[in-house]
Amino acid sequence: MGRKTTGGMTRVEELDRLIGDYGFLRYHAEYVKRREFNAFDVLRYAEYEIRHSNVMAWLLDPNETHGIGRAFLEWFLGQARLPGRLPERIVRGDGGQTVRVERERYHVDVVIFLESDQGRHIVAIENKPGRAAPEHYDQARAHLKRLEEKYPDHSYKKNNSHGVLLSASRKGIDPEDKIAHVSWRDVGAQIKAMHDQNAFGDEEVAAFIRQYLVAVGRLIGPEESDADYFRKLLDDHHSLLTYMFGALGDEGGEQEIRALVPERHANYRDIVVRLVKDFGQEPERLRSEVRDLLTSRGIKTTITASKGKVWLWLSWDLQEAQGLGLGGTGGHIYWVVQFTLRSVVVKLQAFPGRRDAVDRIVACMRKIPVDRRRRDRYPMEAGAFNYFDFYRHELVGDEILSGKSTAVVTEAVRQAVDEFLDAEDSDYTRINDYFRCLAFRPEAVTEEAK
């Protein structure tokens, strides 16, 4: 390998600059974290709503085995406190308060019963390990109404019943004061803060909490700025990474890259190799591969990109929605595949010529969901520039895109797209059928039959 760059800096000096970059150290920390043993990953519990509800109920119960007493309960009640509704004395537990926490009481994810000489209060928690959606608030209201009927002395009219939506969104989307919103991001931050303060004194409990925090991190996903940090890392060291990626294709390329990293940075050799592999997974290349695949299936796509190419898109019209009367200039519903350095995401979006037409479709989809089991994939929310997101799902994530050869990644992405398009029970098939029914016109079917 050559030792000099075109700018006069040696390769070792370039590597020193790379390894000293905050972005590289952050990338390394993410890699190490992913390689640690985690019981939630082994059991495949990290994404299941019911498992997170179980842990929440455990943390909220002062009498449980976590050893933190009321600490997390009081923090959570403080976060969920509705203005003028949940008094501070109730949060503090004044009056010899007794606490009972139950799971799936009358189909409510978590219910907290608070009883003392300060009165009886009930807190109903609807847990959604995804972004908040209007129908989640509807569910929370329905749960609260059901509990008030079962426990009339905890009624909303008496200011003694409280509803909470727990979601992965940073903020809630419903401004009403009957249902509070708590973010899983804040929950994770609070649990971590308590762990760092050694609140979980028992080492076995603390070890469980450390593993659970990783699961919460997977649940909430990266902040919106994460794609920018990784893109900046690659851009700032483009010359070095281009050089090493060229060497990677040679026989013994990995060993060449490891040998280039000086002994004082030996513990970073594996992660440098991994970063070089990630550098080769350019979203533009994957987009081209997927576009060729879609073209071979007769799907004509349009390509677009955001400023700076942080996000790249392929899009095509949802043919089944053409009879829904979106109207106006450019009004249509279309599929989008979004490519970033860390994910391939598929969306269903609308650009409404007439917003009232989209509102009618949204009302129908909320009343009759496309898939009741996967509501978190249907955000039903307005986006930037007057676009509206019906559906969003990560088709390929970092676990596939990161640290593997270009050939392996390409094949995995093509296979994921193939399965998404072909499987009878895939979201693509289900959504297309749903919109075909919405736009159903008997006379058109009759004409086609003739």
Side-chain angles (χ1 to χ4, degrees):
M1 280 177 95
R3 294 288 169 177
K4 286 283 185 181
T5 72
T6 55
M9 187 182 292
T10 66
R11 298 297 180 192
V12 171
E13 288 171 339
E14 280 196 316
L15 272 161
D16 282 338
R17 178 172 166 266
L18 170 68
I19 292 171
D21 191 313
Y22 169 77
F24 176 82
L25 297 176
R26 178 175 174 181
Y27 176 80
H28 176 261
E30 290 180 1
Y31 167 69
V32 170
K33 185 179 293 184
R34 283 198 298 271
R35 291 296 298 267
E36 289 177 350
F37 166 77
N38 190 290
F40 290 91
D41 291 338
V42 176
L43 297 173
R44 299 189 177 182
Y45 280 2
E47 288 80 31
Y48 285 92
E49 174 184 315
I50 188 173
R51 313 304 177 193
H52 288 287
S53 294
N54 287 342
V55 177
M56 281 299 299
W58 176 70
L59 288 169
L60 288 166
D61 191 338
N63 304 309
E64 269 293 358
T65 55
H66 43 62
I68 58 174
R70 293 178 56 93
F72 186 77
L73 171 70
E74 292 188 12
W75 173 84
F76 186 88
L77 294 178
Q79 288 290 109
R81 186 181 177 192
L82 307 177
R85 292 285 319 287
L86 192 59
E88 179 62 30
R89 64 181 184 279
I90 302 301
V91 173
R92 292 195 308 265
D94 292 351
Q97 187 183 83
T98 60
V99 180
R100 188 171 87 256
V101 181
E102 297 196 21
R103 284 275 291 111
E104 295 296 337
R105 186 69 169 177
Y106 300 111
H107 306 293
V108 182
D109 290 330
V110 181
V111 184
I112 309 172
F113 294 90
L114 307 166
E115 299 188 7
S116 70
D117 58 17
Q118 302 291 324
R120 294 182 173 184
H121 289 256
I122 191 170
V123 180
I125 303 171
E126 174 66 10
N127 175 27
K128 292 297 179 187
R131 293 188 295 177
E135 58 265 29
H136 299 159
Y137 285 88
D138 293 339
Q139 287 178 270
R141 283 188 286 269
H143 289 331
L144 200 55
K145 182 179 179 181
R146 191 180 312 117
L147 289 172
E148 289 172 349
E149 291 171 354
K150 300 293 183 180
Y151 302 96
D153 55 345
H154 296 80
S155 70
Y156 179 72
K157 292 179 180 178
K158 294 183 178 181
N159 291 335
N160 284 6
S161 64
H162 318 276
V164 179
L165 173 62
L166 176 60
S167 86
S169 295
R170 173 65 71 186
K171 295 180 179 179
I173 60 176
D174 197 323
E176 69 166 280
D177 64 357
K178 187 172 182 178
I179 305 297
H181 178 266
V182 175
S183 172
W184 267 109
R185 293 185 184 278
D186 293 329
V187 167
Q190 177 62 19
I191 296 173
K192 183 179 186 305
M194 295 176 67
H195 171 271
D196 293 347
Q197 294 164 5
N198 296 317
F200 304 96
D202 189 300
E203 179 51 37
E204 291 184 354
V205 175
F208 168 82
I209 291 296
R210 285 193 292 273
Q211 294 190 24
Y212 183 63
L213 285 170
V214 176
V216 172
R218 308 263 173 81
L219 173 75
I220 62 179
E223 294 282 8
E224 292 299 321
S225 61
D226 279 11
D228 295 335
Y229 111 78
F230 190 59
R231 166 63 72 178
K232 186 175 187 301
L233 174 66
L234 300 189
D235 287 348
D236 287 351
H237 303 276
H238 189 273
S239 174
L240 174 66
L241 293 171
T242 299
Y243 180 80
M244 290 194 293
F245 184 70
L248 190 62
D250 301 333
E251 185 176 350
E254 286 194 16
Q255 291 307 316
E256 275 198 76
I257 293 171
R258 287 191 174 92
L260 185 63
V261 179
E263 187 62 34
R264 64 182 178 278
H265 297 315
N267 58 315
Y268 291 117
R269 283 171 176 159
D270 286 345
I271 194 62
V272 169
V273 171
R274 186 184 184 94
L275 180 63
V276 173
K277 289 181 178 179
D278 285 357
F279 175 75
Q281 313 303 345
E282 283 294 323
E284 293 94 333
R285 182 187 61 78
L286 288 177
R287 181 176 65 176
S288 178
E289 292 279 354
V290 173
R291 192 184 197 200
D292 289 345
L293 173 61
L294 293 171
T295 300
S296 72
R297 291 169 165 271
I299 298 175
K300 185 178 180 180
T301 59
T302 300
I303 60 174
T304 50
S306 68
K307 186 177 181 180
K309 293 188 178 181
V310 175
W311 297 283
L312 303 154
W313 292 277
L314 285 176
S315 61
W316 67 97
D317 283 352
L318 175 65
Q319 298 295 327
E320 287 76 4
Q322 288 185 353
L324 291 174
L326 288 174
T329 303
H332 63 294
I333 297 177
Y334 54 94
W335 285 102
V336 178
V337 183
Q338 175 181 296
F339 301 83
T340 73
L341 289 158
R342 314 303 286 268
S343 68
V344 177
V345 174
V346 62
K347 299 179 180 181
L348 184 70
Q349 289 188 324
F351 184 79
R354 289 174 48 196
R355 184 52 191 263
D356 61 321
V358 172
D359 289 342
R360 287 196 300 272
I361 296 171
V362 170
C364 181
M365 293 178 73
R366 285 176 178 160
K367 186 174 183 180
I368 308 173
V370 178
D371 188 346
R372 297 180 187 275
R373 301 167 303 166
R374 297 169 175 166
R375 290 176 183 264
D376 57 301
R377 296 186 183 181
Y378 298 83
M380 304 290 195
E381 62 185 19
F385 309 110
N386 204 32
Y387 289 93
F388 192 91
D389 289 344
F390 291 107
Y391 168 85
R392 183 187 189 280
H393 177 56
E394 184 177 81
L395 203 59
V396 180
D398 189 47
E399 71 282 357
I400 291 177
L401 294 178
S402 181
K404 298 180 177 63
S405 71
T406 301
V408 168
V409 169
T410 300
E411 180 58 30
V413 170
R414 289 178 65 92
Q415 183 177 341
V417 173
D418 264 330
E419 291 178 356
F420 180 73
L421 295 174
D422 285 342
E424 262 191 48
D425 62 344
S426 76
D427 292 344
Y428 184 74
T429 302
R430 186 176 294 109
I431 290 170
N432 284 347
D433 287 347
Y434 186 95
F435 275 85
R436 189 177 293 115
C437 291
L438 285 183
F440 177 63
R441 291 182 296 130
E443 67 277 10
V445 175
T446 303
E447 284 297 318
E448 187 176 333
K450 288 180 181 179

